[in-house]
Amino acid sequence: MKRVAKTIAAALAVGVMGVAAGAYAQEFPGGKPISAVVPFSAGGPTDKVSRELTAIMSKHLGSTIVIENLGGAGGTIGAKKVAQAKNDGHTVLIHHIGMATAPALYRNLGFDPLKDFEMVGEIADVPMILVGNKQLPPNTFKELLPYIKANAAKLSLANAGIGSASHLCGLLFQSAIQTELTTVPYKGAAPALTDILGGQVNLLCDQTTNLAGHLKAHSVKPYAAMQAKRVEAFKDVPTAAEQGMPNVEVKVWHAMYAPKGTPKPVIDKLSAALQKAVADPAFRAKMAELGAEAVPAQRATPESLRTYLSAEINKWTPVIKKAGVYAD
Ligand code: ASP
């Protein structure tokens, strides 16, 4: 009899919890702000995509989304914070390709990108361009390569930390030219670019979302687009492949995540708002202006992101292992 009573009580408790979770999800976000952790500095490429996106998502969700910039260690500090955050939908992560490269780069990462997060969906793809500061003598990629060979000891290559997109792009570039440069890590591409402009560092492989204004103002020297085709918005910059260096290609895809265990109806609401935002003509136009491309709405879903993240981990892990690079 006692056991029956206990079973009934347990079943009721589960039922009550289910109802409570359902009611919570129905009300979510209930006017309460959502914190979106951007694991890089303010004003940088991930920050720019995130601010454009969340301004639109906020309207659809009826709650403010507050960006929290938490740069450092190539995005892994911010990602770890979200993995450990309360899973009520009020904390999300906006991260990029670094989610797929970090497991190979960090032996003690402290989180598992596939197991410790709920997927919300993909956001936008951003191309990269290798740039140098104006003081560098070479004007073209063809001139840059022999110049690097002759001056490798005194040239520096900036990046946004180990595990960042600029780090990955820099790795591929150094491997292609078979020359190691002194790398200088920053907490994001925003401070890295500031030092390129100031002449403190020489080269940076950066996202067009960060470079757009400077490319138009000719305040940096663009050497090569690091993708198969020229970037639509910056058609005058030839690709590395066109200039004799194939396979140095990095597409910086961005996506949104929530801590593991965030209730499915809450994820569905976040994802629905994300799908509306990526389909919004203003968002798509802004991305295009910055050289980027908002994903189609069907990629802004948990299923699409899970498949893509797994494929990207499988793609980059052997490349990084072969390069023998570790962050820790
Ligand atoms: N996405 C980084 C940032 O926003 C830069 C990078 O990964 O290279 O600063």
Side-chain angles (χ1 to χ4, degrees):
M1 187 59 205
K2 242 182 176 175
R3 196 184 296 159
V4 173
K6 263 191 182 166
T7 313
I8 293 173
L12 281 175
V14 170
V16 169
M17 271 160 60
V19 171
Y24 173 78
Q26 228 174 37
E27 271 173 30
F28 175 84
K32 262 180 66 190
I34 296 167
S35 162
V37 173
V38 169
F40 295 101
S41 327
T46 307
D47 186 67
K48 284 200 178 98
V49 169
S50 303
R51 285 181 198 272
E52 295 294 337
L53 177 87
T54 53
I56 302 173
M57 278 184 74
S58 291
K59 281 192 235 145
H60 293 296
L61 288 164
S63 275
T64 315
I65 303 181
V66 183
I67 302 274
E68 191 189 335
N69 295 98
L70 193 57
T76 58
I77 293 174
K80 189 170 168 191
K81 185 175 174 197
V82 176
Q84 295 167 349
K86 200 168 170 202
N87 52 10
D88 60 359
H90 287 279
T91 308
V92 295
L93 170 71
I94 300 178
H95 200 352
H96 64 17
I97 186 172
M99 251 333 223
T101 55
L105 288 165
Y106 288 80
R107 281 165 288 197
N108 298 307
L109 188 56
F111 65 88
D112 182 320
L114 285 165
K115 291 195 189 131
D116 294 335
F117 294 91
E118 301 296 340
M119 311 284 131
V120 179
E122 294 168 66
I123 304 167
D125 297 331
V126 185
M128 301 199 93
I129 292 180
L130 176 71
V131 299
N133 56 22
K134 289 286 277 187
Q135 295 89 333
L136 271 187
N139 288 319
T140 64
F141 193 61
K142 284 237 162 82
E143 289 169 17
L144 177 69
L145 301 184
Y147 181 80
I148 290 181
K149 288 270 179 215
N151 298 282
K154 55 178 192 186
L155 284 176
S156 54
L157 176 66
N159 67 43
I162 296 188
S164 64
S166 40
H167 169 248
L168 178 66
C169 187
L171 272 186
L172 297 179
F173 177 61
Q174 289 174 96
S175 148
I177 59 172
Q178 297 195 334
T179 308
E180 269 192 39
L181 300 167
T182 306
T183 49
V184 185
Y186 291 81
K187 283 194 174 174
L193 185 57
T194 302
D195 275 6
I196 285 282
L197 297 170
Q200 287 87 351
V201 279
N202 306 119
L203 293 161
L204 171 67
C205 189
D206 198 4
Q207 295 166 68
T208 56
T209 35
N210 206 30
L211 293 171
H214 298 287
L215 291 171
K216 285 179 194 142
H218 304 286
S219 43
V220 290
K221 281 189 181 177
Y223 290 118
M226 304 313 227
Q227 62 170 22
K229 286 197 309 198
R230 289 192 183 201
V231 179
E232 210 41 56
F234 303 102
K235 271 259 162 76
D236 52 333
V237 182
T239 65
E242 267 176 66
Q243 304 181 90
M245 189 178 286
N247 306 324
V248 188
E249 290 172 20
V250 182
K251 179 180 84 176
V252 190
W253 56 275
H254 292 73
M256 183 179 281
Y257 308 82
K260 187 78 194 166
T262 304
K264 177 155 186 316
V266 169
I267 295 292
D268 289 345
K269 277 197 178 173
L270 288 168
S271 185
L274 176 62
Q275 286 156 39
K276 284 187 189 141
V278 298
D280 189 303
F283 180 71
R284 302 194 73 80
K286 187 69 200 174
M287 290 300 104
E289 182 193 318
L290 297 174
E293 195 178 356
V295 298
Q298 62 270 25
R299 273 181 58 196
T301 61
E303 302 71 35
S304 176
L305 174 55
R306 178 165 293 283
T307 308
Y308 193 57
L309 174 61
S310 307
E312 283 283 288
I313 293 174
N314 292 338
K315 171 180 168 180
W316 291 110
T317 300
V319 176
I320 293 164
K321 291 258 143 83
K322 199 170 154 215
V325 205
Y326 288 106
D328 45 12

